[in-house]
Amino acid sequence: NAGVTQTPKFQVLKTGQSMTLQCAQDMNHNSMYWYRQDPGMGLRLIYYSASEGTTDKGEVPNGYNVSRLNKREFSLRLESAAPSQTSVYFCASSGHLNQPQHFGDGTRLSIL
Amino acid sequence: SQQGEEDPQALSIQEGENATMNCSYKTSINNLQWYRQNSGRGLVHLILIRSNEREKHSGRLRVTLDTSKKSSSLLITASRAADTASYFCATPPQGGSEKLVFGKGTKLTVNP
């Protein structure tokens, strides 16, 4: 079982560049999430999708956009990358409301 | 806003000893979840305890929940070097939101 797959695993960008982080799950989960993890800050929710066709802002949505492409895939886009967006990004999914989340292994993103 | 706060921030013990981590939260909850994160990996769900439960076991893990004190504890018995990881509590606030809120974690080091 692959679970939650994130691509790429590592990326270096220059300030102002754009990119899309990809996430796919094979567990037939309804809900998907994007988090960022920074030292000393824990995990912070960027955006989430409660079900296919819906997306909502989390705690730190500024500078990001998301697309729930279908039930399996949830992408995160940085339109104009800034050094403050240097972080480790995690995608997660869960079956239903408040159920345990399954995480991918993260994308390590550096913006110079 | 931070919902769960783990204590201590870091814990170092010898193999074979027990490790206890605590989590305090602010608002009423439906359940409380504990996760583990090994270095460089995504979070892994360990155990979920519902608001009407007081104690739950899973292998060497024991979780307690005191809703009157808004606190939970995670006990790992007979720890092993492989238990070295960061441990996070996460709470979905009551009200139906899927915004699971994570604490900043306890970094556990188990010395061989």
Side-chain angles (χ1 to χ4, degrees), chain B residues 61-103:
Chain B
L61 305 180
R62 173 178 168 251
V63 168
T64 61
L65 179 64
D66 187 334
T67 54
S68 67
K69 295 181 179 178
K70 291 187 169 60
S71 67
S72 174
S73 66
L74 170 66
L75 169 67
I76 304 174
T77 59
S79 62
R80 306 166 181 168
D83 295 327
T84 293
S86 291
Y87 292 82
F88 296 85
C89 67
T91 52
Q94 266 185 352
S97 167
E98 295 201 43
K99 297 178 183 179
L100 195 65
V101 180
F102 288 83

Short mmCIF file of all heavy atoms in Angstrom, two decimals, chain B residues 61-103:
data_model
loop_
_atom_site.label_atom_id
_atom_site.label_comp_id
_atom_site.label_asym_id
_atom_site.label_seq_id
_atom_site.Cartn_x
_atom_site.Cartn_y
_atom_site.Cartn_z
N LEU B 61 1.80 1.19 24.54
CA LEU B 61 1.29 2.54 24.71
C LEU B 61 0.06 2.55 25.62
O LEU B 61 -0.81 1.68 25.52
CB LEU B 61 0.88 3.14 23.36
CG LEU B 61 1.93 3.17 22.26
CD1 LEU B 61 1.34 3.82 21.01
CD2 LEU B 61 3.18 3.89 22.70
N ARG B 62 0.04 3.55 26.51
CA ARG B 62 -1.13 3.75 27.35
C ARG B 62 -1.47 5.23 27.32
O ARG B 62 -0.62 6.07 27.60
CB ARG B 62 -0.86 3.31 28.79
CG ARG B 62 -1.97 3.64 29.77
CD ARG B 62 -1.64 3.12 31.16
NE ARG B 62 -2.54 3.68 32.17
CZ ARG B 62 -2.18 4.58 33.08
NH1 ARG B 62 -0.93 5.01 33.14
NH2 ARG B 62 -3.05 5.04 33.95
N VAL B 63 -2.69 5.54 26.95
CA VAL B 63 -3.14 6.92 26.88
C VAL B 63 -4.25 7.14 27.90
O VAL B 63 -5.14 6.30 28.03
CB VAL B 63 -3.64 7.27 25.47
CG1 VAL B 63 -4.36 8.60 25.46
CG2 VAL B 63 -2.49 7.28 24.48
N THR B 64 -4.17 8.24 28.60
CA THR B 64 -5.25 8.63 29.51
C THR B 64 -5.80 9.98 29.07
O THR B 64 -5.11 10.77 28.43
CB THR B 64 -4.77 8.72 30.96
OG1 THR B 64 -3.74 9.71 31.05
CG2 THR B 64 -4.23 7.39 31.45
N LEU B 65 -7.04 10.22 29.43
CA LEU B 65 -7.70 11.47 29.09
C LEU B 65 -8.49 11.94 30.30
O LEU B 65 -9.28 11.18 30.86
CB LEU B 65 -8.63 11.29 27.89
CG LEU B 65 -9.41 12.53 27.44
CD1 LEU B 65 -8.46 13.62 26.95
CD2 LEU B 65 -10.41 12.16 26.35
N ASP B 66 -8.27 13.18 30.70
CA ASP B 66 -9.02 13.80 31.78
C ASP B 66 -9.69 15.04 31.22
O ASP B 66 -9.05 16.10 31.11
CB ASP B 66 -8.07 14.14 32.94
CG ASP B 66 -8.81 14.63 34.18
OD1 ASP B 66 -9.94 15.17 34.03
OD2 ASP B 66 -8.27 14.50 35.28
N THR B 67 -10.94 14.94 30.86
CA THR B 67 -11.62 16.06 30.22
C THR B 67 -11.89 17.19 31.21
O THR B 67 -12.01 18.34 30.80
CB THR B 67 -12.94 15.61 29.58
OG1 THR B 67 -13.72 14.93 30.56
CG2 THR B 67 -12.68 14.68 28.41
N SER B 68 -11.95 16.88 32.51
CA SER B 68 -12.17 17.94 33.48
C SER B 68 -10.95 18.84 33.59
O SER B 68 -11.07 20.04 33.85
CB SER B 68 -12.51 17.35 34.85
OG SER B 68 -11.40 16.66 35.39
N LYS B 69 -9.77 18.26 33.39
CA LYS B 69 -8.53 19.04 33.42
C LYS B 69 -8.06 19.41 32.02
O LYS B 69 -7.02 20.07 31.87
CB LYS B 69 -7.43 18.24 34.13
CG LYS B 69 -7.70 17.98 35.61
CD LYS B 69 -6.56 17.21 36.25
CE LYS B 69 -6.84 16.97 37.73
NZ LYS B 69 -5.76 16.18 38.38
N LYS B 70 -8.79 18.96 31.01
CA LYS B 70 -8.39 19.20 29.62
C LYS B 70 -6.95 18.76 29.41
O LYS B 70 -6.08 19.53 28.95
CB LYS B 70 -8.59 20.67 29.23
CG LYS B 70 -10.05 21.09 29.15
CD LYS B 70 -10.20 22.50 28.60
CE LYS B 70 -11.64 22.83 28.26
NZ LYS B 70 -12.56 22.75 29.41
N SER B 71 -6.67 17.52 29.75
CA SER B 71 -5.31 17.03 29.59
C SER B 71 -5.31 15.55 29.24
O SER B 71 -6.27 14.81 29.55
CB SER B 71 -4.48 17.27 30.85
OG SER B 71 -4.97 16.48 31.91
N SER B 72 -4.23 15.12 28.61
CA SER B 72 -4.03 13.73 28.24
C SER B 72 -2.57 13.38 28.48
O SER B 72 -1.69 14.25 28.46
CB SER B 72 -4.38 13.52 26.77
OG SER B 72 -4.07 12.22 26.34
N SER B 73 -2.31 12.11 28.70
CA SER B 73 -0.93 11.67 28.81
C SER B 73 -0.71 10.44 27.95
O SER B 73 -1.62 9.64 27.75
CB SER B 73 -0.55 11.37 30.26
OG SER B 73 -1.28 10.26 30.72
N LEU B 74 0.50 10.33 27.43
CA LEU B 74 0.93 9.17 26.65
C LEU B 74 2.08 8.52 27.41
O LEU B 74 3.09 9.17 27.65
CB LEU B 74 1.38 9.58 25.25
CG LEU B 74 2.07 8.51 24.41
CD1 LEU B 74 1.11 7.38 24.06
CD2 LEU B 74 2.66 9.12 23.13
N LEU B 75 1.90 7.27 27.76
CA LEU B 75 2.95 6.51 28.45
C LEU B 75 3.46 5.43 27.51
O LEU B 75 2.67 4.67 26.94
CB LEU B 75 2.39 5.87 29.72
CG LEU B 75 3.27 4.82 30.41
CD1 LEU B 75 4.53 5.46 30.98
CD2 LEU B 75 2.49 4.09 31.49
N ILE B 76 4.77 5.40 27.31
CA ILE B 76 5.41 4.33 26.56
C ILE B 76 6.19 3.50 27.57
O ILE B 76 7.10 3.99 28.24
CB ILE B 76 6.38 4.87 25.48
CG1 ILE B 76 5.64 5.83 24.54
CG2 ILE B 76 7.00 3.73 24.70
CD1 ILE B 76 6.56 6.52 23.54
N THR B 77 5.82 2.24 27.71
CA THR B 77 6.49 1.38 28.69
C THR B 77 7.66 0.64 28.04
O THR B 77 7.67 0.39 26.83
CB THR B 77 5.52 0.37 29.28
OG1 THR B 77 4.99 -0.43 28.22
CG2 THR B 77 4.37 1.05 30.00
N ALA B 78 8.65 0.33 28.86
CA ALA B 78 9.81 -0.45 28.42
C ALA B 78 10.35 0.09 27.10
O ALA B 78 10.40 -0.63 26.09
CB ALA B 78 9.45 -1.93 28.29
N SER B 79 10.73 1.35 27.09
CA SER B 79 11.10 2.02 25.84
C SER B 79 12.30 1.36 25.16
O SER B 79 13.15 0.74 25.80
CB SER B 79 11.39 3.49 26.11
OG SER B 79 12.49 3.61 26.99
N ARG B 80 12.34 1.55 23.85
CA ARG B 80 13.40 1.01 23.00
C ARG B 80 14.03 2.15 22.22
O ARG B 80 13.40 3.19 22.03
CB ARG B 80 12.83 -0.02 22.04
CG ARG B 80 12.03 -1.11 22.71
CD ARG B 80 11.22 -1.89 21.69
NE ARG B 80 10.42 -2.95 22.33
CZ ARG B 80 9.44 -3.61 21.70
NH1 ARG B 80 9.15 -3.34 20.45
NH2 ARG B 80 8.77 -4.55 22.36
N ALA B 81 15.22 1.94 21.74
CA ALA B 81 15.89 2.96 20.93
C ALA B 81 15.02 3.35 19.73
O ALA B 81 15.01 4.51 19.31
CB ALA B 81 17.25 2.48 20.47
N ALA B 82 14.27 2.41 19.21
CA ALA B 82 13.42 2.67 18.05
C ALA B 82 12.25 3.60 18.38
O ALA B 82 11.57 4.10 17.47
CB ALA B 82 12.88 1.36 17.48
N ASP B 83 11.99 3.83 19.66
CA ASP B 83 10.93 4.77 20.06
C ASP B 83 11.38 6.22 19.95
O ASP B 83 10.58 7.14 20.13
CB ASP B 83 10.47 4.49 21.50
CG ASP B 83 9.80 3.14 21.66
OD1 ASP B 83 9.14 2.68 20.69
OD2 ASP B 83 9.96 2.53 22.73
N THR B 84 12.66 6.43 19.70
CA THR B 84 13.18 7.78 19.52
C THR B 84 12.44 8.46 18.37
O THR B 84 12.47 7.99 17.24
CB THR B 84 14.69 7.76 19.23
OG1 THR B 84 15.38 7.29 20.39
CG2 THR B 84 15.20 9.14 18.86
N ALA B 85 11.77 9.57 18.68
CA ALA B 85 10.92 10.26 17.71
C ALA B 85 10.33 11.48 18.39
O ALA B 85 10.52 11.69 19.59
CB ALA B 85 9.81 9.34 17.22
N SER B 86 9.59 12.26 17.63
CA SER B 86 8.77 13.33 18.21
C SER B 86 7.34 12.84 18.30
O SER B 86 6.86 12.15 17.39
CB SER B 86 8.85 14.60 17.36
OG SER B 86 10.13 15.17 17.43
N TYR B 87 6.68 13.22 19.38
CA TYR B 87 5.31 12.77 19.62
C TYR B 87 4.40 14.00 19.72
O TYR B 87 4.72 14.96 20.43
CB TYR B 87 5.25 11.93 20.90
CG TYR B 87 5.96 10.62 20.75
CD1 TYR B 87 7.35 10.54 20.90
CD2 TYR B 87 5.28 9.45 20.41
CE1 TYR B 87 8.03 9.34 20.72
CE2 TYR B 87 5.95 8.25 20.24
CZ TYR B 87 7.32 8.21 20.39
OH TYR B 87 7.99 7.02 20.20
N PHE B 88 3.29 13.92 19.01
CA PHE B 88 2.37 15.04 18.93
C PHE B 88 0.98 14.61 19.39
O PHE B 88 0.53 13.51 19.06
CB PHE B 88 2.25 15.55 17.49
CG PHE B 88 3.50 16.11 16.92
CD1 PHE B 88 4.45 15.28 16.33
CD2 PHE B 88 3.75 17.47 16.95
CE1 PHE B 88 5.61 15.79 15.79
CE2 PHE B 88 4.91 18.00 16.41
CZ PHE B 88 5.84 17.16 15.82
N CYS B 89 0.31 15.49 20.11
CA CYS B 89 -1.11 15.30 20.34
C CYS B 89 -1.87 16.20 19.36
O CYS B 89 -1.36 17.22 18.91
CB CYS B 89 -1.51 15.60 21.77
SG CYS B 89 -1.37 17.32 22.30
N ALA B 90 -3.07 15.79 19.04
CA ALA B 90 -3.87 16.54 18.09
C ALA B 90 -5.33 16.45 18.51
O ALA B 90 -5.80 15.38 18.90
CB ALA B 90 -3.69 16.00 16.67
N THR B 91 -6.00 17.56 18.42
CA THR B 91 -7.40 17.61 18.85
C THR B 91 -8.25 18.28 17.79
O THR B 91 -7.90 19.35 17.30
CB THR B 91 -7.53 18.39 20.17
OG1 THR B 91 -6.89 19.67 20.02
CG2 THR B 91 -6.88 17.65 21.32
N PRO B 92 -9.37 17.66 17.45
CA PRO B 92 -10.36 18.33 16.63
C PRO B 92 -11.37 19.01 17.54
O PRO B 92 -12.10 18.33 18.26
CB PRO B 92 -11.01 17.19 15.85
CG PRO B 92 -10.81 15.99 16.70
CD PRO B 92 -9.72 16.27 17.69
N PRO B 93 -11.40 20.33 17.59
CA PRO B 93 -12.32 21.02 18.49
C PRO B 93 -13.76 20.64 18.21
O PRO B 93 -14.12 20.35 17.07
CB PRO B 93 -12.07 22.50 18.21
CG PRO B 93 -10.69 22.54 17.64
CD PRO B 93 -10.54 21.25 16.88
N GLN B 94 -14.59 20.60 19.21
CA GLN B 94 -16.01 20.30 19.01
C GLN B 94 -16.63 21.32 18.10
O GLN B 94 -16.26 22.48 18.09
CB GLN B 94 -16.74 20.31 20.36
CG GLN B 94 -16.84 18.95 21.00
CD GLN B 94 -17.68 18.97 22.26
OE1 GLN B 94 -18.07 20.03 22.74
NE2 GLN B 94 -17.95 17.81 22.80
N GLY B 95 -17.58 20.87 17.31
CA GLY B 95 -18.26 21.81 16.43
C GLY B 95 -18.29 21.30 15.00
O GLY B 95 -18.90 21.92 14.14
N GLY B 96 -17.66 20.18 14.75
CA GLY B 96 -17.75 19.60 13.43
C GLY B 96 -16.64 19.97 12.49
O GLY B 96 -16.60 19.52 11.36
N SER B 97 -15.72 20.80 12.92
CA SER B 97 -14.63 21.19 12.02
C SER B 97 -13.67 20.03 11.81
O SER B 97 -13.42 19.26 12.71
CB SER B 97 -13.87 22.38 12.62
OG SER B 97 -12.66 22.58 11.93
N GLU B 98 -13.14 19.93 10.60
CA GLU B 98 -12.13 18.92 10.35
C GLU B 98 -10.74 19.46 10.58
O GLU B 98 -9.77 18.84 10.23
CB GLU B 98 -12.27 18.41 8.92
CG GLU B 98 -13.57 17.70 8.68
CD GLU B 98 -13.50 16.78 7.49
OE1 GLU B 98 -12.51 16.07 7.34
OE2 GLU B 98 -14.46 16.77 6.72
N LYS B 99 -10.63 20.62 11.16
CA LYS B 99 -9.33 21.24 11.34
C LYS B 99 -8.66 20.66 12.58
O LYS B 99 -8.68 21.24 13.65
CB LYS B 99 -9.47 22.75 11.50
CG LYS B 99 -10.05 23.43 10.27
CD LYS B 99 -10.20 24.93 10.52
CE LYS B 99 -10.84 25.61 9.34
NZ LYS B 99 -11.01 27.07 9.57
N LEU B 100 -8.07 19.48 12.41
CA LEU B 100 -7.30 18.87 13.48
C LEU B 100 -6.15 19.79 13.83
O LEU B 100 -5.39 20.20 12.96
CB LEU B 100 -6.79 17.51 13.00
CG LEU B 100 -6.27 16.53 14.03
CD1 LEU B 100 -7.39 16.08 14.94
CD2 LEU B 100 -5.66 15.33 13.34
N VAL B 101 -6.00 20.12 15.10
CA VAL B 101 -4.98 21.07 15.52
C VAL B 101 -3.90 20.32 16.29
O VAL B 101 -4.19 19.65 17.28
CB VAL B 101 -5.59 22.18 16.40
CG1 VAL B 101 -4.50 23.17 16.81
CG2 VAL B 101 -6.69 22.91 15.64
N PHE B 102 -2.65 20.44 15.83
CA PHE B 102 -1.52 19.73 16.43
C PHE B 102 -0.78 20.61 17.41
O PHE B 102 -0.66 21.82 17.23
CB PHE B 102 -0.54 19.29 15.34
CG PHE B 102 -1.05 18.16 14.50
CD1 PHE B 102 -1.90 18.40 13.43
CD2 PHE B 102 -0.69 16.85 14.78
CE1 PHE B 102 -2.38 17.37 12.65
CE2 PHE B 102 -1.16 15.80 14.00
CZ PHE B 102 -2.00 16.06 12.95
N GLY B 103 -0.24 19.98 18.45
CA GLY B 103 0.68 20.66 19.33
C GLY B 103 2.06 20.72 18.70
O GLY B 103 2.27 20.27 17.57
#
